Amino acid sequence: MPTQIYDTIQDEIAALKQKRNAVILAHNYQVGEIQDIADFVGDSLRLAQQAQRTDADVILFSGVLFMAETTSISCPDKTVLVPDLEAGCSLAGMIRAEDVRKWRAEHPGGVVVAYVNTTAAVKAESDYCCTSTNAVSIVEQIPEEKEILFIPDFYLGTYVKRQTKRDNITLWNGYCHVHDMIKSDQIERLKHEHPDAEIIMHPECGCLTKSMDYADQILSTEGMVTYVRTSPAREFIVATETGILHRMRQQNPTKCFIPAADEATCHYMKQNTLEKIVLSLERMQYEIKIPDSIRKRALRPIERMLEMTAHARSQQNATS
Ligand code: 13P
Ligand code: SF4
């Protein structure tokens, strides 16, 4: 896109944001030009926390629908917009509310921990929410004797099981089709070519069970962005969706970032464009509103997650 047009759209978005008293939240997988105009860029947890703090009237969420739903659930007085209603998530589509009810009935006494990559209706059936940043900490705060039904990501659940050393965690068999494209033999080949590179991996990776032992770090998207800034390493093999490379390269121009799989691109995340953001703010489309009957029940696990995250952080600060 020629620079002049890009600048014009940027200016137009800035003017629309002012007119609507809007804030733009963008996930780390958004295309670079969206990340560059966003007020906040981050992972699911950081964006959920940011949404709660804003005093803007309108939150334009440039990510995928479950993230905008989470925002709408916890900020019912705000107008939450998404640029495109096709921005779904294959992982969130792997479990329905009726599946959770049935699974729960088969495991009386179990508590449901739902990864934030779930629909509002699924969250409404759950006890706790978690993101990739806080999944281990949330599970650690649940009484040891409680069976945990972890939904929907098998690989994140496997990682949590290993980190918490709990064997009473039962896993749903869902996965993300993008992270499933990342293969351990490809990571091994890249490591052979770049022996000094650190391997950083998202816990949704389909090769996690094979690669967990040799990955240098297993982190959320925001955890990865922070980690590469402080690590003394000069090269990184990055095992997640490729949109994250934009911020890494922008913030660390002298370091080298190698995608573990070039094809690991989330077409849901890439539905959003600058042009659709203009239309969204101009026409106030597409508003995400959750019916009250679901919203009230879905709020409970989200609030618990945010409280437990704040609690873990204050405990950490007290001991450091
Ligand atoms: P993060 O919360 O780590 O950004 O992950 C969200 C996601 O959808 C990963 O595929
Ligand atoms: Fe969903 Fe996977 Fe896309 Fe993340 S990368 S939004 S889990 S489909």
Side-chain angles (χ1 to χ4, degrees):
M1 194 182 282
T3 314
Q4 194 54 42
I5 294 173
Y6 178 83
D7 283 342
T8 304
I9 286 187
Q10 224 179 9
D11 290 347
E12 202 175 350
I13 292 174
L16 282 164
K17 259 177 43 184
Q18 205 171 16
K19 178 174 165 194
R20 302 291 190 200
N21 187 22
V23 69
I24 299 181
L25 307 184
H27 187 263
N28 284 318
Y29 295 161
Q30 291 298 281
V31 290
E33 55 190 12
I34 292 184
Q35 296 193 28
D36 292 344
I37 55 104
D39 296 284
F40 299 99
V41 183
D43 64 3
S44 310
L45 178 65
R46 187 160 182 247
L47 295 177
Q49 290 167 328
Q50 209 55 58
Q52 286 208 318
R53 281 184 209 130
T54 184
D55 51 15
D57 297 317
V58 174
I59 299 174
L60 184 136
F61 209 114
S62 198
V64 288
L65 295 186
F66 75 79
M67 298 177 179
E69 282 189 350
T70 306
T71 303
S72 179
I73 291 164
S74 44
C75 310
D77 301 334
K78 309 276 179 197
T79 303
V80 179
L81 301 177
V82 295
D84 194 310
L85 287 171
E86 298 294 311
C89 168
S90 59
L91 177 56
M94 289 206 178
I95 191 158
R96 300 163 303 170
E98 55 263 46
D99 299 324
V100 184
R101 284 194 292 269
K102 186 163 175 278
W103 213 33
R104 209 193 249 291
E106 290 163 7
H107 295 262
V111 293
V112 177
V113 177
Y115 188 28
V116 71
N117 296 41
T118 42
T119 61
V122 164
K123 287 187 180 79
E125 300 294 334
S126 305
D127 299 291
Y128 302 89
C129 241
C130 71
T131 68
S132 51
T133 301
N134 60 24
V136 170
S137 161
I138 297 292
V139 167
E140 276 172 349
Q141 293 178 65
I142 297 172
E144 258 175 54
E145 66 283 2
K146 280 272 171 211
E147 180 185 8
I148 291 176
L149 306 175
F150 193 92
I151 59 168
D153 191 64
F154 177 83
Y155 298 100
L156 175 63
T158 302
Y159 175 66
V160 168
K161 228 172 146 163
R162 184 172 108 151
Q163 294 304 104
T164 59
K165 299 188 176 62
R166 277 176 82 136
D167 51 18
N168 61 350
I169 303 180
T170 311
L171 305 176
W172 191 257
N173 211 3
Y175 63 92
C176 155
H177 78 289
V178 178
H179 287 84
D180 198 46
M181 294 178 204
I182 299 170
K183 305 290 179 203
S184 63
D185 52 356
Q186 169 75 349
I187 296 178
E188 280 169 40
R189 190 180 63 72
L190 287 170
K191 179 70 183 172
H192 192 71
E193 287 167 15
H194 304 270
D196 295 331
E198 283 196 324
I199 299 168
I200 53 171
M201 180 173 280
H202 194 277
E204 279 177 26
C205 282
C207 63
L208 185 97
T209 38
K210 280 191 191 159
S211 315
M212 203 150 47
D213 288 326
Y214 62 77
D216 292 287
Q217 296 289 329
I218 297 172
L219 296 163
S220 74
T221 58
E222 196 60 28
M224 288 181 174
V225 171
T226 308
Y227 179 77
V228 300
R229 268 204 307 265
T230 50
S231 166
R234 313 304 305 162
E235 279 185 308
F236 301 87
I237 296 164
V238 183
T240 193
E241 209 270 355
T242 55
I244 198 163
L245 298 167
H246 175 74
R247 245 175 111 202
M248 288 179 170
R249 287 176 176 151
Q250 207 173 44
Q251 294 177 355
N252 309 278
T254 61
K255 295 185 177 180
C256 174
F257 300 98
I258 306 147
D262 286 319
E263 62 279 22
T265 302
C266 177
H267 68 276
Y268 296 113
M269 287 278 181
K270 271 41 175 191
Q271 292 294 323
N272 301 322
T273 62
L274 288 181
E275 289 78 3
K276 288 180 192 172
I277 289 177
V278 169
L279 284 178
S280 183
L281 288 171
E282 227 168 47
R283 300 179 184 170
M284 295 295 279
Q285 68 185 24
Y286 299 94
E287 186 172 358
I288 300 297
K289 206 94 199 122
I290 309 298
D292 245 12
S293 56
I294 292 180
R295 192 191 76 78
K296 285 191 181 135
R297 288 188 298 131
L299 183 61
R300 227 181 14 170
I302 296 171
E303 278 185 343
R304 269 192 188 151
M305 168 184 81
L306 294 172
E307 280 159 20
M308 288 162 96
T309 306
H311 174 74
R313 173 153 297 189
S314 68
Q315 297 280 99
Q316 242 173 19
N317 290 344
T319 52
S320 64

